[in-house]
Amino acid sequence: MSCLFCSIVNGDIPSNKVYEDELAYAFYDIDPQAPVHFLVIPKEHILSAGAVTPENSAVVAHCFEVIAQVTKELGITDFRVVSNCGLQAGQSVPHLHFHVLAGRDMTWPPG
Ligand code: 5GP
Ligand code: ZN
């Protein structure tokens, strides 16, 4: 099965890496929507937030540890975490990812 983000994790497609460990990978978004915009993904292929189960939820929790650690390292205190799930919600890559956006005022509700 070919998956864009699995290809980024295994190095077949280059990315601007922010962080990596055995469970998670973080890299800057190719089309940033804020002055800071990176993605945190589990290395394990999970389709979306709708595919989180008791078996894989530990890596999802780990992604949030990564978000807290990386934002701290970048000196970011105010940020937004977004995970689009499904086409109607705007998910374009079917591998679970958390957008981390920062560096500008955010509006609510999101569009
Ligand atoms: P989604 O639309 O699924 O919520 O988010 C997918 C994100 O992946 C988009 O913000 C898009 O800009 C980003 N993206 C798509 N292809 C690539 C790529 O090849 N490299 C990087 N760094 N980001 C990508
Ligand atoms: Zn994948």
Side-chain angles (χ1 to χ4, degrees):
M1 179 207 54
S2 88
C3 166
L4 176 64
F5 286 175
C6 285
S7 298
I8 284 179
V9 165
N10 68 31
D12 287 344
I13 293 175
S15 63
N16 192 357
K17 181 167 79 174
V18 187
Y19 176 89
E20 179 175 16
D21 63 25
E22 67 282 1
L23 296 176
Y25 192 85
F27 56 106
Y28 285 104
D29 197 291
I30 205 168
D31 182 22
Q33 301 301 312
V36 177
H37 184 181
F38 61 89
L39 304 172
V40 178
I41 68 175
K43 287 189 168 178
E44 177 183 345
H45 182 86
I46 298 170
L47 194 62
S48 73
V52 177
T53 65
E55 287 70 39
N56 64 25
S57 62
V59 296
V60 179
H62 182 72
C63 286
F64 279 86
E65 290 183 46
V66 170
I67 290 168
Q69 181 181 325
V70 172
T71 51
K72 205 164 286 161
E73 282 169 7
L74 295 175
I76 296 165
T77 54
D78 295 24
F79 57 92
R80 181 170 286 178
V81 180
V82 175
S83 190
N84 300 318
C85 181
L87 290 177
Q88 189 177 29
Q91 184 178 11
S92 60
V93 179
H95 179 130
L96 177 63
H97 51 283
F98 298 103
H99 296 260
V100 179
L101 301 136
R104 65 166 169 81
D105 293 340
M106 304 284 166
T107 59
W108 191 265

